[in-house]
Amino acid sequence: MTKHKKITAAMLSALAVLIVILIILWTRFGYRAQMYTNNSYAMATYVQQTVYGPEGEQAAAEAAQAVTALENQISWRVSGSDIDRLNDAAGTEWLTIDSDTVDLLALSLDVAEKSGGAFDPTVLPLTSLWRFESETPHVPTEEELSSALQYVGYADLRINEEEHTASLRRHYEGIDLGAIGKGAACDRVVSVYASHDLTAGVVSVGGSVGVYGNKPDGTDWLVALRDPDTPDESVGSIGTLQLEPGEFVSTSGTYEKQFTQDGVTYHHLLNPHTGMPEENGLVSVSVVCENGALSDALSTACFVLGKEQGLALAETYGAEVLFVDDQKEITMSDGMQERFTLSNAAYTLA
């Protein structure tokens, strides 16, 4: 009987040690078994997700659906969307639209006002003229630009946040939320993550990225910033950017959409005041803040404004910004310097 008790005690002791080892292994590596990835396509780009937690697969699927639902709500190309209906009703009546669309329009107008129109949600007359996303892009004539520019002006977009209504003041005006939509999609995805039993998650929609929760291995969220000088088929990076849980980064770059005609390359980042691609020496701008839609809108606005005015605008919103110019020089806000690590020797810090 004594011998039996001693064996039992030894077994219990060994079992206790095994349990401790399993807890350590689970803490360090167990979440890997609960990691789930999801790749989908919406807003003319790839939506890439990596989530951690027991409800990861369900959450990622719902998040992908949420991005498609947002596209169907705010894309001017989708028949019957809020934006499509507003564009069709331009110059006629106020329309009742989804409260989320109203909120996005309100944010768009705020950035438009504070940027002096460097970001403008009413650029559809220009973007539809250039046709960057089509198979037949077009360099407008001076006459075409002059005609389109008279219908671009954020002051003609009116919203009533209490009644969830909006309108465009004049015929032929049009809203294009392409410069804020992908960041807004990241907001939607992170919101879905928060409604599920997830430890962490990261989503990228085109040039926008959002992170949720703390990584299971305890390391920081690191996002590689693209080297604007590398082609799509062999994308490189200039360095990495550290994000905190609940933060977003959006990058606007000349490489995203461009075409060459008669030996001249044109990119899609248009100056709403001139109707032409902004040529101020910048090739990309990245903005970090706690709102995906805002980071997206600011990356466009700061690109058009240039370094000095762009830094001032980002500071207004408490956002951090990083500029890359065509001389491979990187200029950053003070807070961005604490987050960014340069790894590409071809670039220098200002």
Side-chain angles (χ1 to χ4, degrees):
M1 183 69 68
T2 302
K3 182 178 180 181
H4 179 71
K5 287 183 178 179
K6 288 182 179 178
I7 293 174
T8 302
M11 292 176 63
L12 289 174
S13 177
L15 180 60
V17 172
L18 178 60
I19 290 174
V20 171
I21 293 173
L22 288 175
I23 289 174
I24 293 173
L25 290 174
W26 173 258
T27 301
R28 290 188 176 182
F29 307 110
Y31 282 112
R32 293 183 181 178
Q34 293 182 303
M35 184 181 77
Y36 181 78
T37 60
N38 180 294
N39 296 312
S40 55
Y41 193 82
M43 296 185 169
T45 191
Y46 289 101
V47 179
Q48 299 173 306
Q49 304 179 65
T50 299
V51 293
Y52 302 85
E55 297 182 16
E57 183 172 0
Q58 178 185 354
E62 288 185 17
Q65 294 172 357
V67 175
T68 299
L70 179 64
E71 179 180 19
N72 292 336
Q73 181 180 320
I74 67 170
S75 174
W76 64 268
R77 296 180 178 85
V78 176
S79 178
S81 73
D82 283 345
I83 301 305
D84 175 61
R85 294 191 300 114
L86 282 172
N87 291 343
D88 283 347
T92 59
E93 60 182 334
W94 287 69
L95 298 180
T96 300
I97 56 178
D98 189 275
S99 60
D100 287 343
T101 306
V102 173
D103 291 343
L104 200 56
L105 291 176
L107 177 60
S108 296
L109 285 177
D110 189 69
V111 177
E113 291 170 357
K114 287 184 171 63
S115 68
F119 171 87
D120 194 323
T122 67
V123 293
L124 182 59
L126 292 173
T127 55
S128 60
L129 191 61
W130 281 90
R131 304 196 301 265
F132 279 99
E133 295 185 0
S134 74
E135 295 182 359
T136 57
H138 167 69
V139 179
T141 64
E142 290 186 9
E143 291 76 12
E144 289 174 324
L145 280 177
S146 178
S147 177
L149 283 169
Q150 65 180 313
Y151 300 111
V152 176
Y154 64 86
D156 282 350
L157 171 57
R158 304 169 294 182
I159 59 173
N160 186 316
E161 295 183 71
E162 293 184 358
E163 297 184 5
H164 301 160
T165 58
S167 73
L168 286 165
R169 189 183 303 274
R170 298 184 297 157
H171 292 294
Y172 309 116
E173 294 179 322
I175 302 166
D176 182 350
L177 297 181
I180 195 173
K182 295 177 178 62
C186 288
D187 286 325
R188 282 281 181 100
V189 169
V190 170
S191 179
V192 171
Y193 292 168
S195 68
H196 285 271
D197 184 14
L198 295 184
T199 302
V202 56
V203 57
S204 66
V205 185
S208 295
V209 176
V211 298
Y212 170 81
N214 295 295
K215 292 178 67 177
D217 62 4
T219 61
D220 296 325
W221 290 108
L222 295 177
V223 177
L225 293 187
R226 175 170 172 169
D227 179 356
D229 202 34
T230 55
D232 290 339
E233 60 272 15
S234 58
V235 173
S237 69
I238 60 173
T240 55
L241 185 65
Q242 179 184 341
L243 293 183
E244 298 294 330
E247 289 187 329
F248 302 81
V249 59
S250 293
T251 299
S252 292
T254 58
Y255 51 80
E256 292 176 304
K257 302 168 191 172
Q258 59 178 225
F259 68 92
T260 301
Q261 182 173 312
D262 298 329
V264 179
T265 298
Y266 301 89
H267 63 78
H268 76 295
L269 296 169
L270 303 177
N271 185 324
H273 300 300
T274 66
M276 293 292 292
E278 179 58 46
E279 299 294 344
N280 56 13
L282 294 176
V283 291
S284 76
V285 174
S286 300
V287 173
V288 174
C289 64
E290 295 181 353
N291 180 285
L294 179 59
S295 72
D296 203 1
L298 285 178
S299 68
T300 298
C302 290
F303 185 100
V304 174
L305 287 174
K307 295 178 184 179
E308 185 176 347
Q309 294 183 60
L311 282 165
L313 177 65
E315 185 178 3
T316 298
Y317 285 98
E320 305 299 341
V321 59
L322 181 150
F323 302 88
V324 181
D325 66 27
D326 55 11
Q327 300 302 306
K328 297 186 183 299
E329 185 176 79
I330 298 171
T331 303
M332 295 178 281
S333 58
D334 292 341
M336 190 68 90
Q337 294 177 22
E338 301 172 2
R339 301 167 173 269
F340 178 71
T341 300
L342 178 65
S343 61
N344 191 323
Y347 289 81
T348 59
L349 300 179

